[in-house]
Amino acid sequence: MNISEALKKTHLEFNQAGFRSPEEFKSLASELLSLADQEINDVNSGETWEAYRIKWAGRRDSVLSRIADNWLKPATPEWKRHIGAALNLLRLRVERNLDNSKLDIEQLGKAIRGVDLSLPGVERAIGTRHLIQQTFDELIGIFLSIGFSVVEGPEIETPYYNFEALNIPEHHPARDNMDTFYIEGSRSPHLLRTHTSPMQIRTMEKEKPPVRIVVPGKVYRRDNPDATHGYMFHQIEGLAVDTDITFCDFKGTVEYFVREFLGPKARTRLRPSYFPFTEPSAEVDASCHVCGGSGCRICKFSGWIELFGAGMVNPAVYGFVNYDPEKLSGFAFGIGVDRFAMMKYGITELPLLFQNDVRFLKQFP
Ligand code: DAH
């Protein structure tokens, strides 16, 4: 018997329906169960739910009420058992279907009603470049505009590039303030670079002069953490080598850079210093950007702020990269980016730069 025929039979009196055996009746009852299950799948709104309820469980002229009135009432006690059991089963199934589908519809309604299209959208913060990155970009931009290009190098270095080739032999006192982290278990010794200077060597090994590069990157040192020291900080290395570079080119480049970064009024001063890879070496100072040079707390009443180390490339370094020290000359510098960021924005605590506290970072959009 197909399903719609089973449904039609519920309109007939028990005798007219003409069930020949309880088995035949049971198979019709199970057809009705599957039809009830099938039709609930089409229920997807308050209206279709109500139509289903009326069709299957309504008080008058529903499938359940017809089975009760047309079949159960007039049946013999023997048939009443079968019909009663089937009717109960179908009633339970229809009620369960109605309950489940009501929940589904309510949830759907809630989901749809929950979206108020007249409200402003959810605003997602896009974020900004970190202050360190902003400072990198600003500093590098100045050098790009005068013909330098950017290269980057490995943070895990060999002692050869980090020290020896930069004219810092083992046991040289210049290593004292460059204690670092050594990598265990590597076949040849490795360390976390203590400065970006190794890229001077790597670049000159690979490229013929003229060389004009800046090298931004992270560097590491075993320092005791305090307001201005951590185990990691950022540098920009600079290197210019050519056949005719003089101390005047060095000084002119440094002065140009300082004016670009601190403003046209900034004055520059070179103080004698020492680095194994430069000769002569200098500390570059600028007139204090806060008091203009008259003396204040920021410059410790000296009128000058220490900016970075620099110098003319030591001819000994050319020996490590097969450059001819008789024909070539150049200058180098190493800028501490974190220091520059702190100076420019009046930040007194270095750790603030690395704690990723949004309340701090938001101040530098
Ligand atoms: N590498 C030095 C340091 O980390 C900084 C430096 C000084 C780099 C002078 C240079 C330079 O290239 O010429 O302390």
Side-chain angles (χ1 to χ4, degrees), residues 166 177-178 194-198 200 219 221 233 235-239 250 274-275 277-278 280-283 308-313 331-335:
L166 286 162
N177 65 352
M178 290 206 183
T194 59
H195 47 180
T196 42
S197 307
Q200 292 191 23
V219 302
R221 283 184 203 181
F233 58 103
Q235 287 188 336
I236 295 177
E237 190 78 14
L239 176 69
F250 165 55
Y274 175 77
F275 300 102
F277 38 91
T278 45
S281 304
E283 293 293 335
F308 56 91
M312 299 302 287
V313 176
F331 60 84
F333 53 87
I335 297 173

Side-chain angles (χ1 to χ4, degrees), residues 11 20 61 87 91 95 105 152 201-202 222 286 359:
H11 289 275
R20 273 163 303 189
D61 202 26
L87 181 62
R91 173 174 293 123
E95 277 167 3
I105 291 167
E152 287 181 296
I201 307 300
R202 287 185 179 278
R222 203 217 62 79
R359 290 168 301 182

